[in-house]
Amino acid sequence: MESKNQTITIETRALTKRFGETVAVAGLDLEVRRGEVYGLLGPNGAGKTTTLRMLLGLVRPTAGTATVLGRPPGDGEGLAQLGALVEEPAFYPYLSGRDNLRVLARYCGVSATRVDEALCTVELSDRGGSKLKSYSLGMRQRLGVAAALLKNPQLLILDEPTRGLDPKGMAEMRTLIRAVGRGARTVLLCSHLLGEVEQVCDRVGVIDKGRMVRQAPVEELRAGGRLVVEAEPLEAAERVCREFPGVSDVEVVGGKLELSLDGDRAGDLNAALQEAGVRVRELRRLQRSLESVFLELTEEGG
Amino acid sequence: MRGVLRAELLKLRKRSAPWVLLTVLVLTQALFGYGSLYAVLQMESEELGYRDEQLRAHLMPSTFVGNALGALAGTGGALALILGALAMGSEFRWGTLKTIVTQGPSRLVLGGGKLIALAVALSAFTMISFLVAFGCSMVIAALEGMPVVLPSAGTVVAGLGAGWLLMSVWGSLGFLLATALRGTGLAVGLGLVYQLVIESLLVTAVPWPVRTGEAFRAALIGTNAGALGRHFGVLAGHGFLDAPAVQAAAVLGAYLTVFVLLAVLLLRRCDVL
Ligand SMILES: Nc1ncnc2c1ncn2[C@@H]1O[C@H](COP(=O)(O)OP(=O)(O)OP(=O)(O)O)[C@@H](O)[C@H]1O
Ligand SMILES: [Mg+2]
């Protein structure tokens, strides 16, 4: 029991939240382990934000239980060790970015020296003195992450941190999340972008209509993705592929092969094709859209 | 608690709204509490050839405490209500409540810290209002060539306490309304309607049976604030209450306690969206 508490950072059991008729979260079982970057993936309205709000003690669950860092949600000791960004970052418009963080540092009782460190981490140092009103969407988003990092927290909870960012900003934000998620720090990241979660997370939970549809390491989800092989001669390539262990559902689509391959063995397949004298022009994994993952997962669920 | 208080004070200090409210208080007090009355005094002597000695006495340093309390009970209370509503309502409007709630302080500490910061700001308002009254009365005494007689230190201290109390009652009502209504606009609007319209209608416009009317008079905020002020020389208004200072202060204190408790209770229970 003792060791389990040390490895599990967030655990929910049958967590449920109803808003009148709407069931936002319906009996969610979530388990986030210490030190991992966990992605909570789901379409709009799946209940991601509501789940985070319950974990932070912002709203009370209708039913079920949750433990965060070994404490009940919203508990002061728990909150002292976590940083959060829920939905859009909310700050005082009349204060500068730096003063906003100074105010927050006083609330959570961390030293004011952390303010400049946090600003530096998100590369906002040179604009820290400007009023928040003058910040672009991306700058606000980065300040939100800086605020979440202020406590140098063990657990970081981020709700769609790349929302509203341009492609460059998104890439920077993902790099930042990977960097802060290194080591012992746990990160819970919500997103509806499969690509984002794939790039950043170790493990993913897919939720839909407030339920956990699947909880798995990223590679496992990714391994389900189909491979595309463009090779000459096509017939020989098809034969090699069909005989290759772990390959299934081979199809010819538009002069290319599409197939499913268990595990991370695309390299081995490539070698087998070369050996058989097939010239491989292209071998890549089809980026599965969130939609297709969902269709599959909901079908599996019955 | 200390951290929350320091954060709240920093926010109030850097915000323009409290300074605007303070400016309005100072200007209305100087203009209507002294300036216009002094003009009336001048006019009386020039055109009518006599002076209202009671009015002149009201503008002298010896009565500056009563004069300041008059301003606080009127304009001051309205401004305090607005400040209280802004202190809480803006957190809902900007969505910053979730930001500060997730920083770690319990809702109880958060509400307490916010209310103490408000009380500190209102005590500053009260002291500045006293300083303005004192300054204006000194100037008028000099203009009139009258000897300066100062109220006793005890009167000044008691007056400051009375001023702070009535400002805090209105301020905490604004805070409570903003918490209940989760915003600033409606809280300020309804609060002012209650303060400026409903309370006075209750004592002057409704033909209550005499005893019910008396009970209302004894129970409302405005009438008790007036009763408290009168002990420091505030001129009696319409539908006034004649109550001992201690009783008036106790009623106001009871309002303050109830408003504060309700506000903290609501803040503890509310969902932060
Ligand atoms: N305060 C509320 N009152 C009523 N219904 C709500 C409230 N908050 C959320 N909901 C409902 O709960 C469901 C889940 O909402 P939630 O915001 O958790 O979804 P989400 O997964 O974060 O979606 P998105 O990707 O769009 O942010 C939605 O159907 C939403 O309409
Ligand atoms: Mg959301």
Side-chain angles (χ1 to χ4, degrees):
Chain A
M1 206 59 204
E2 185 67 28
S3 69
K4 192 183 169 203
N5 281 344
Q6 280 166 3
T7 57
I8 305 287
T9 300
I10 299 176
E11 189 175 36
T12 74
R13 287 271 168 269
L15 196 65
T16 302
K17 179 69 184 180
R18 260 182 236 112
F19 291 107
E21 294 281 280
T22 321
V23 183
V25 177
L28 189 74
D29 293 327
L30 177 71
E31 193 181 281
V32 179
R33 296 173 195 151
R34 211 186 119 169
E36 71 181 354
V37 180
Y38 185 98
L40 196 58
L41 192 63
N44 290 137
K48 304 181 294 292
T49 301
T50 307
T51 303
L52 296 194
R53 286 198 174 116
M54 285 191 282
L55 293 177
L56 292 166
L58 293 175
V59 305
R60 253 173 265 271
T62 312
T65 58
T67 325
V68 179
L69 294 160
R71 319 279 312 175
D75 172 86
E77 257 177 67
L79 287 176
Q81 305 169 60
L82 68 81
L85 169 59
V86 182
E87 291 215 302
E88 65 274 8
F91 290 108
Y92 300 98
Y94 62 94
L95 292 178
S96 68
R98 183 172 287 112
D99 278 342
N100 265 291
L101 293 191
R102 278 175 61 205
V103 164
L104 297 184
R106 290 181 178 190
Y107 279 114
C108 60
V110 304
S111 137
T113 56
R114 282 290 304 152
V115 168
D116 283 314
E117 287 170 28
L119 279 176
C120 189
T121 312
V122 299
E123 289 168 21
L124 267 182
S125 299
D126 50 335
R127 289 297 302 275
S130 319
K131 289 260 183 297
L132 194 94
K133 277 183 281 200
S134 72
Y135 275 28
S136 72
L137 201 57
M139 290 163 70
R140 273 168 216 233
Q141 205 69 32
R142 278 186 284 157
L143 190 66
V145 174
L149 287 171
L150 212 52
K151 288 178 254 185
N152 199 2
Q154 280 185 37
L155 168 63
L156 200 58
I157 295 184
L158 300 172
D159 189 4
E160 296 183 37
T162 56
R163 164 210 323 255
L165 298 186
D166 61 17
K168 182 166 163 279
M170 278 197 183
E172 285 169 3
M173 180 64 77
R174 285 169 192 159
T175 311
L176 177 65
I177 295 169
R178 267 198 303 267
V180 299
R182 232 172 264 142
R185 187 180 280 142
T186 313
V187 181
L188 171 56
L189 171 78
C190 276
S191 179
H192 53 251
L193 305 172
L194 183 66
E196 173 166 308
V197 167
E198 269 190 330
Q199 287 173 44
V200 177
C201 299
D202 306 319
R203 224 154 56 87
V204 181
V206 181
I207 71 168
D208 187 24
K209 300 191 187 79
R211 286 179 192 287
M212 183 64 73
V213 187
R214 172 123 178 242
Q215 202 160 207
V218 165
E219 305 88 66
E220 217 171 281
L221 277 183
R222 196 190 268 145
R226 309 259 294 160
L227 282 183
V228 179
V229 181
E230 189 178 353
E232 260 181 6
L234 191 64
E235 298 76 38
E238 187 178 348
R239 189 163 26 79
V240 175
C241 286
R242 284 187 192 283
E243 284 164 8
F244 193 78
V247 167
S248 58
D249 299 332
V250 183
E251 281 177 296
V252 181
V253 183
K256 298 177 185 179
L257 291 172
E258 274 189 34
L259 51 90
S260 300
L261 177 62
D262 291 344
D264 201 7
R265 302 186 52 207
D268 298 343
L269 177 62
N270 190 17
L273 286 166
Q274 306 270 2
E275 220 164 86
V278 175
R279 208 162 68 85
V280 178
R281 278 217 208 94
E282 186 185 9
L283 190 152
R284 68 187 162 88
R285 197 171 287 281
L286 268 185
Q287 183 83 343
R288 291 203 302 169
S289 65
L290 179 61
E291 201 181 345
S292 71
V293 172
F294 264 106
L295 284 177
E296 247 171 68
L297 290 173
T298 40
E299 272 163 24
E300 268 174 30
Chain B
M1 182 61 108
R2 230 184 110 238
V4 173
L5 182 58
R6 287 180 59 227
E8 290 296 332
L9 288 174
L10 177 64
K11 272 157 56 184
L12 280 175
R13 190 159 54 78
K14 293 250 175 178
R15 200 173 171 179
S16 53
W19 298 102
V20 171
L21 295 175
L22 185 61
T23 308
V24 171
L25 179 63
V26 167
L27 288 181
T28 52
Q29 207 184 344
L31 269 173
F32 302 115
Y34 285 97
S36 62
L37 293 182
Y38 186 62
V40 169
L41 203 63
Q42 295 304 92
M43 227 151 49
E44 280 175 343
S45 58
E46 273 170 28
E47 290 171 15
L48 305 173
Y50 80 92
R51 292 206 137 183
D52 184 339
E53 285 306 322
Q54 202 192 348
L55 180 58
R56 179 155 75 169
H58 184 63
L59 300 178
M60 289 298 119
S62 59
T63 52
F64 88 86
V65 172
N67 198 309
L69 280 178
L72 289 179
T75 328
L79 298 172
L81 188 138
I82 296 173
L83 187 65
L86 285 176
M88 190 64 219
S90 301
E91 305 281 2
F92 286 105
R93 189 154 59 90
W94 293 324
T96 41
L97 191 57
K98 76 174 176 207
T99 310
I100 57 182
V101 163
T102 49
Q103 295 311 310
S106 74
R107 308 260 187 115
L108 193 71
V109 169
L110 198 63
K114 275 182 129 12
L115 283 160
I116 293 175
L118 178 63
V120 170
L122 291 177
S123 69
F125 273 44
T126 308
M127 282 190 256
I128 288 167
S129 157
F130 271 55
L131 281 178
V132 169
F134 176 68
C136 289
S137 66
M138 290 295 279
V139 169
I140 292 177
L143 288 174
E144 290 285 296
M146 297 290 284
V148 172
V149 182
L150 292 177
S152 73
T155 307
V156 176
V157 171
L160 280 170
W164 174 84
L165 180 61
L166 63 93
M167 291 288 274
S168 295
V169 172
W170 288 121
S172 61
L173 176 61
F175 190 96
L176 169 63
L177 286 172
T179 313
L181 300 167
R182 307 174 71 91
T184 312
L186 198 54
V188 168
L190 288 183
L192 290 180
V193 166
Y194 175 76
Q195 182 181 41
L196 303 175
V197 183
I198 297 181
E199 277 218 336
S200 65
L201 287 182
L202 279 176
V203 288
T204 57
V206 187
W208 303 111
V210 175
R211 293 186 57 185
T212 319
E214 285 304 314
F216 265 115
R217 246 194 283 286
L220 294 177
I221 303 172
T223 48
N224 278 286
L228 192 57
R230 217 155 14 260
H231 294 279
F232 297 90
V234 177
L235 305 175
H238 207 42
F240 72 95
L241 167 74
D242 193 13
V246 175
Q247 182 190 324
V251 173
L252 291 178
Y255 270 110
L256 179 59
T257 313
V258 170
F259 291 162
V260 164
L261 287 180
L262 278 180
V264 171
L265 204 71
L266 273 178
L267 188 59
R268 272 196 71 174
R269 298 202 49 84
C270 76
D271 277 354
V272 179
L273 296 168

